[in-house]
Amino acid sequence: MQLHTTALIVFCFFFLLVTLAGFWAARWRRPKAGMGSLEEWGLAGRSFGTWITWFLIGGDLYTAYTVIAVPAALYGAGAMGFFAVPYAVIAYPYMMLVLPRLWTVCHRHGYITFADFVNGRYGNRWLTIAIALTGVLALMPYIALQLVGIRVVIGAMGIHGEWPLAAAFVILAAYTYSSGLRAPAVIAIVKDVMLYIMVLAALIYIPHKLGGYARVFEIANQLLAHHTPSATINLKQGQFLGYSTLAIGSAIALMLYPHTATAVLSAQSANVIRRNAAMLPAYSFLLGLIALLGYLALAAGVVTKDPNQAVPLLFLKMFPEWFAGFCLAAVAIGALVPAAIMSIAASNLFTRNLYGALIRRKMLPEEESRMAKIVSLVVKFGALIFVLKLPAPYAIEMQLLGGIWMGQLFPSVVLGVFTRWFNPWALLIGWAAGMFSGTAMAVALGLKSSVYPLHLFGSTYPMYAAVPALLLNLAVSTALTILFRAMKLNAGTDVTDAAAYIG
């Protein structure tokens, strides 16, 4: 592949800029006592106001792989790939209803993770470990996908080999270790400004060059008809249920991911969360525009066997090389923010809810902070090995499982915010049933898709596997709670403050 020197120089300039910003973040709002506690290193002292939280959550949810994968889905599969837009629309009313209350409880009790909340709410060590383990397992391929996004961008500029990705990993690891959550918060501001410039330029300039949107959609529809399997820019008969359950199930999982919890719990008040739920739909609008890049790539004549290459190749083909470098830098920087937050979230879970739960003693703040920093390095190193030693489809396939797994936390976390009716042992068994059935459905599809053809009463219902798995989870949790209540089985102890749930 041709080496794009100008694009590479511009890319390196902006990458260096955000690297310096990441290290500078260690001094930004640094408390006099330093960052010797998990609350300061992992949640930035819960000090972020509305705008910083907005950039942080947006940078957390709209990742480099979002910019690569959502257009790639439309490039390869047509309208079915557009499900990411309605699920973002569903997610924010859900966020408004659930997360401010969760923030209040976690703030009042000093909880760092949602698994901390489950432990306080139900007093069951094994349920807490299950919640934490699910989060860590789901995050690993997600972090790997951010590195895949960086590799796709670097490869499009003509740079090959493992060293560029390894160098990006070392930089990411270094400033996350020193600055904690403050680093991605600072970088998120730069990343989002660059992303908006990139998308708006692409959606105005490229269609103009191609003859307008009507022409773009016409060409995209014609080309999709020749794909295997064939696709269109409109949903086909039989895709509606799969599309809607993908949107609903993904929205449920999105707000339960540990990196979402980390970004949310770093806010300074519950009202900051409410204001962000109202403001974040601006990112949904941006996501809809990003998705259209897949159709633009088709109309522009971008031909690639790997749909993930569609957006980088589109930029290099349609833009002057210097601006293509700017756009590719925006995509790569978009990987740094979520990768940093995800590694912090995974280290918080391991330190507090896996290691902490197993040793059965409360660690000192300095011990927690020190361990979390080391674990964050291990997590990123593991993700790097995953990307370098295994084919990229493995990370994508594992991420399909991650979304299914995260949905199974809904009864314990989301319903737990509103009711203490469920028995923790019933929730644990329901979680296991949901995890097993959801994984079995994805494996039955060869991990190539997450839309499973469910056969019921002589009919077939293609559904996102997370949804029937969650329904089974809820049914088992409900039935066993009724049974365990009748048996007067120990229901654990709720140590959370009842007043925190009011309002």
Side-chain angles (χ1 to χ4, degrees):
M1 185 176 287
Q2 176 189 353
L3 178 64
H4 298 273
T5 307
T6 303
L8 184 61
I9 292 170
V10 174
F11 175 91
C12 291
F13 170 78
F14 282 100
F15 208 86
L16 176 62
L17 179 68
V18 298
T19 299
L20 295 174
F23 285 111
W24 171 82
R27 303 172 182 271
W28 179 54
R29 296 188 178 186
R30 186 184 182 95
K32 291 181 180 179
M35 290 193 285
S37 70
L38 202 55
E39 179 131 344
E40 283 297 337
W41 181 83
L43 291 183
R46 305 181 199 263
S47 63
F48 293 149
T50 300
W51 286 109
I52 298 298
T53 303
W54 187 72
F55 282 115
L56 188 64
I57 296 178
D60 195 9
L61 301 182
Y62 297 92
T63 68
Y65 202 73
T66 302
V67 180
I68 295 292
V70 174
L74 269 73
Y75 178 90
M80 195 66 181
F82 216 76
F83 80 91
V85 176
Y87 101 62
V89 174
I90 296 168
Y92 297 125
Y94 166 44
M95 176 181 176
M96 177 76 81
L97 183 66
V98 176
L99 295 188
R101 185 175 289 204
L102 255 176
W103 183 95
T104 302
V105 178
C106 291
H107 182 263
R108 188 162 300 186
H109 295 279
Y111 296 154
I112 301 291
T113 67
F114 286 169
D116 278 348
F117 162 75
V118 169
N119 186 49
R121 186 65 155 157
Y122 295 102
N124 186 297
R125 185 163 65 104
W126 294 109
L127 179 62
T128 302
I129 290 173
I131 298 297
L133 188 61
T134 304
V136 172
L137 289 176
L139 279 179
M140 289 301 293
Y142 216 155
I143 298 170
L145 284 181
Q146 306 315 309
L147 299 181
V148 168
I150 295 177
R151 184 163 67 177
V152 166
V153 166
I154 293 173
M157 289 185 292
I159 301 294
H160 299 287
E162 298 178 352
W163 69 266
L165 196 59
F169 156 79
V170 170
I171 292 168
L172 172 66
Y175 66 62
T176 304
Y177 185 91
S178 65
S179 305
L181 192 64
R182 288 171 172 82
V186 169
I187 295 171
I189 299 171
V190 179
K191 167 251 182 184
D192 286 356
V193 171
M194 293 178 68
L195 199 60
Y196 268 101
I197 293 171
M198 176 196 84
V199 173
L200 292 175
L203 270 296
I204 295 171
Y205 176 77
I206 296 177
H208 174 72
K209 295 280 287 184
L210 297 175
Y213 273 104
R215 181 66 177 155
V216 167
F217 291 134
E218 180 186 353
I219 296 173
N221 205 35
Q222 291 171 357
L223 293 174
L224 285 168
H226 294 93
H227 284 198
T228 305
S230 65
T232 69
I233 62 172
N234 300 308
L235 287 175
K236 295 195 281 188
Q237 191 69 29
Q239 290 184 320
F240 299 107
L241 185 59
Y243 183 89
S244 57
T245 53
L246 268 170
I248 294 168
S250 299
I252 288 172
L254 184 68
M255 293 302 163
L256 291 168
Y257 268 104
H259 56 288
T260 305
T262 298
V264 166
L265 296 182
S266 68
Q268 65 184 203
S269 72
N271 281 333
V272 167
I273 306 302
R274 293 187 182 97
R275 285 193 288 270
N276 270 270
M279 293 164 55
L280 280 166
Y283 277 102
S284 300
F285 172 71
L286 179 65
L287 181 62
L289 299 181
I290 289 171
L292 292 177
L293 295 175
Y295 290 157
L296 292 182
L298 285 168
V302 172
V303 178
T304 175
K305 293 181 179 179
D306 180 6
N308 292 325
Q309 289 278 357
V311 169
L313 293 177
L314 172 68
F315 291 155
L316 288 166
K317 180 174 183 177
M318 300 300 296
F319 284 136
E321 195 161 304
W322 67 267
F323 191 69
F326 172 87
C327 294
L328 295 177
V331 176
I333 292 166
L336 300 179
V337 175
I341 302 172
M342 289 171 192
S343 66
I344 291 168
S347 61
N348 288 348
L349 282 169
F350 180 87
T351 303
R352 271 289 180 98
N353 310 119
L354 292 178
Y355 182 79
L358 291 172
I359 65 170
R360 293 195 176 193
R361 75 171 176 85
K362 185 171 178 58
M363 299 169 68
L364 295 173
E366 294 81 4
E367 288 180 296
E368 285 188 330
S369 176
R370 187 164 53 250
M371 172 168 280
K373 289 179 179 180
I374 294 170
V375 172
S376 75
L377 295 177
V378 173
V379 167
K380 284 190 281 288
F381 182 74
L384 180 67
I385 296 299
F386 194 103
V387 172
L388 294 181
K389 299 302 180 184
L390 296 173
Y394 279 45
I396 299 168
E397 291 161 5
M398 288 299 294
Q399 174 54 21
L400 290 177
L401 282 175
I404 295 169
W405 293 340
M406 291 310 303
Q408 306 317 308
L409 306 191
F410 182 85
S412 301
V413 178
V414 176
L415 296 185
V417 176
F418 297 97
T419 178
R420 182 55 174 75
W421 181 79
F422 287 98
N423 183 285
W425 292 108
L427 288 171
L428 180 61
I429 297 170
W431 165 85
M435 291 285 285
F436 177 80
S437 60
T439 303
M441 283 185 273
V443 170
L445 296 169
L447 295 178
K448 303 299 182 186
S449 171
S450 53
V451 178
Y452 183 80
L454 200 63
H455 302 285
L456 292 173
F457 311 114
S459 299
T460 302
Y461 303 93
M463 301 176 67
Y464 179 38
V467 173
L470 177 57
L471 293 174
L472 176 63
N473 181 345
L474 287 167
V476 170
S477 298
T478 301
L480 289 181
T481 294
I482 294 170
L483 176 63
F484 292 163
R485 281 173 170 264
M487 295 170 59
K488 301 190 182 325
L489 191 71
N490 178 24
T493 303
D494 180 6
V495 299
T496 61
D497 183 358
Y501 298 93
I502 299 172

